[in-house]
Amino acid sequence: MNRALTLASSVAGAVIVALDGTVLVVAQPTLRRDLDASLTQVQWTSTGYLIAVAGLLVFAGRLGDRFGHHRTFGVGMVGFAVASAGIGLAPGVGWVIGLRVVQGVFGALSQPATLGMLRAAFPPERLRRPLAVRTAGIGVAAAVGPVVGGALVTGFGWRAVFFLNVVPALVLGVLALGVRSAPRPTRAGAPRLDLPGALLLALCLACLVHTLVALPASGRPPADGLGLAVAVVAGVALVRHERRTVSPLVPSDVVGVPAVGAALGVLVAASAALNGTLFACVHVLQGELGLDAFHSALISLPLAVLMVGAAAGCPLLLRQAGARRTTVGATVVLALGVLVLVRAAGTPALCAGFALLGAGFGTVMVAATHVVVRQAPVESAGVAGGLQQTAMNVGPVLGVAVAALLMGLGTARSPLLALAAMAGLGAVAGCALPGRTVATITDRGDVGTRSGVPAGR
């Protein structure tokens, strides 16, 4: 597959999954009424998906490294389409929950591959623009998702939002499976799949996500102490296993690079701050200020518009200022947006706060993702993509959990200062990212010597 088609497939795959998440939120009240489901059951239509995705992303990325990113992307898209069709035909909420878990499994297969395909198709110095296009596509999906979902639910019912995915995902999957990939470069034969490491990581992340999702409902850690304890034990066992195994799930040429760890920390902090703020602001707009859902969506629209614009302009910032300055500056802008919303009441102030959120997050997402993907060797691009996607799934769950917990102790605006501080932590982590003059990386991912030539990260 040529570069243009690879980019189109990567963007379309990311958009389909992002759109699925946004339209589901709109459809859940109608789904609950039509299927006579409880609030807990409706919550599990999202929680089950999140747990499946979070637990499998890194292993799915390793499968792409082993068997080819186009192949895993194709399987993921076809499975996602079939699961979506099944949900649309589901006779009861139990079927919806089970099929959402299946949908999460196939979503986990496809998402790291969208980044792995880009890393394999584009040389490191040309990755900025494809990543910006991909981020802009996700921003558009976030903007139009509630509108599309609302129109479909109003006109055709909640099942229509799942049928929406079927044809485009199926077409993308079939096209990707028909691609004849070039032989994959390996260092010493194909690496073995680390199944024990994959199981430990899945257990750790699944328990962590479940604990974070359940925490706001319980309001106290002891209610989910077992899940948290299992996550900690599995995490410790994973570290010990990865240090001893010959073929680790996360190779040292990815996890051992300080810039990758810093970039992942930035993504967790920024996505937590953004999603926690959005969760709180929904209650501010519709509760405290008494706006309806439509006017609330209009006021928050600058977020999506600026996110798309910032993603498009980020490649120029990376060339001129480097990853460190770009990311730190963008996280500061994100934090300022949260602070503006702490006291904002009028429409101009609210729109300004949302615009700052979009400008900051759109830039952070491109810049930090660029560091993660570019630093990874081509043969580990899927693992790098899986780690990036894991950060982008854990961060929002963390942010919403913090927001919901603090809202229970105060008002809808109570979490905003803590979320601004969380964005500030992202700025601190961003200080560890590379500047303009860094070690160069060849198309095979080999680290060369320092040349003093700006690398434009």
Side-chain angles (χ1 to χ4, degrees):
M1 185 179 287
N2 62 36
R3 288 176 179 173
L5 290 177
T6 296
L7 176 59
S9 298
S10 175
V11 173
V15 166
I16 287 172
V17 176
L19 193 62
D20 177 82
T22 56
V23 298
L24 175 62
V25 174
V26 179
Q28 281 179 332
T30 306
L31 182 153
R32 180 185 179 188
R33 183 178 64 250
D34 288 355
L35 297 181
D36 193 25
S38 67
L39 180 60
T40 299
Q41 288 174 320
V42 172
Q43 288 174 332
W44 267 99
T45 64
S46 295
T47 302
Y49 179 89
L50 286 173
I51 290 175
V53 169
L56 295 174
L57 281 167
V58 176
F59 183 62
R62 176 49 93 192
L63 288 175
D65 293 331
R66 175 72 181 270
F67 298 108
H69 299 300
H70 287 98
R71 186 176 298 173
T72 55
F73 176 76
V75 172
M77 283 287 98
V78 170
F80 197 87
V82 173
S84 297
I87 296 171
L89 298 171
V93 69
W95 281 93
V96 173
I97 294 171
L99 287 169
R100 280 286 285 170
V101 173
V102 174
Q103 193 182 44
V105 171
F106 287 107
L109 274 178
S110 64
Q111 288 308 285
T114 64
L115 291 172
M117 290 190 300
L118 293 181
R119 177 64 181 90
F122 291 87
E125 66 275 6
R126 296 183 61 185
L127 271 172
R128 291 181 293 263
R129 191 165 300 280
L131 291 174
V133 173
R134 181 180 180 276
T135 301
I138 294 173
V140 171
V144 304
V147 178
V148 172
L152 288 174
V153 171
T154 301
F156 305 100
W158 65 268
R159 298 178 188 272
V161 303
F162 292 102
F163 288 132
L164 177 68
N165 300 321
V166 175
V167 173
L170 195 60
V171 169
L172 283 174
V174 171
L175 289 176
L177 289 174
V179 171
R180 294 185 63 183
S181 302
R184 300 189 56 75
T186 57
R187 287 165 292 189
R192 291 185 301 172
L193 293 176
D194 181 15
L195 293 179
L199 291 173
L200 288 171
L201 180 61
L203 180 62
C204 175
L205 290 174
C207 290
L208 177 62
V209 169
H210 180 265
T211 299
L212 291 174
V213 170
L215 182 59
S218 64
R220 59 189 189 278
D224 295 288
L226 178 60
L228 183 60
V230 173
V232 171
V233 171
V236 172
L238 174 66
V239 172
R240 289 175 58 86
H241 170 77
E242 291 292 285
R243 287 179 175 176
R244 296 178 178 181
T245 187
V246 177
S247 299
L249 176 66
V250 184
S252 60
D253 54 10
V254 176
V255 73
V257 180
V260 171
L264 293 173
V266 170
L267 289 171
V268 170
S271 59
L274 174 73
N275 286 271
T277 299
L278 292 179
F279 180 85
C281 284
V282 167
H283 295 272
V284 171
L285 294 173
Q286 298 184 29
E288 179 183 321
L289 301 181
L291 301 178
D292 59 29
F294 179 72
H295 286 90
S296 298
L298 288 180
I299 287 177
S300 63
L301 189 59
L303 186 152
V305 174
L306 267 293
M307 180 177 168
V308 173
C314 188
L316 179 61
L317 288 175
L318 287 170
R319 282 195 298 268
Q320 297 297 323
R324 184 188 305 130
R325 292 180 180 178
T326 299
T327 304
V328 171
T331 48
V332 170
V333 170
L334 176 62
L336 287 175
V338 181
L339 292 175
V340 168
L341 294 171
V342 170
R343 294 188 176 275
T347 298
L350 289 167
C351 288
F354 283 117
L356 289 171
L357 288 180
F361 186 74
T363 305
V364 167
M365 189 171 174
V366 175
T369 300
H370 178 256
V371 172
V372 174
V373 177
R374 177 170 178 166
Q375 291 281 352
V378 172
E379 57 267 27
S380 298
V383 170
L387 290 171
Q388 189 270 355
Q389 290 290 304
T390 299
M392 295 299 296
N393 277 271
V394 172
V397 175
L398 173 62
V400 171
V402 169
L405 192 60
L406 293 180
M407 284 171 61
L409 302 175
T411 67
R413 297 184 192 251
S414 298
L416 295 181
L417 288 177
L419 294 166
M422 193 172 292
L425 292 176
V428 173
C431 293
L433 298 182
R436 294 184 63 201
T437 305
V438 294
T440 58
I441 301 178
T442 70
D443 290 352
R444 293 190 304 272
D446 303 322
V447 179
T449 58
R450 290 185 179 270
S451 61
V453 179
R457 293 180 194 243

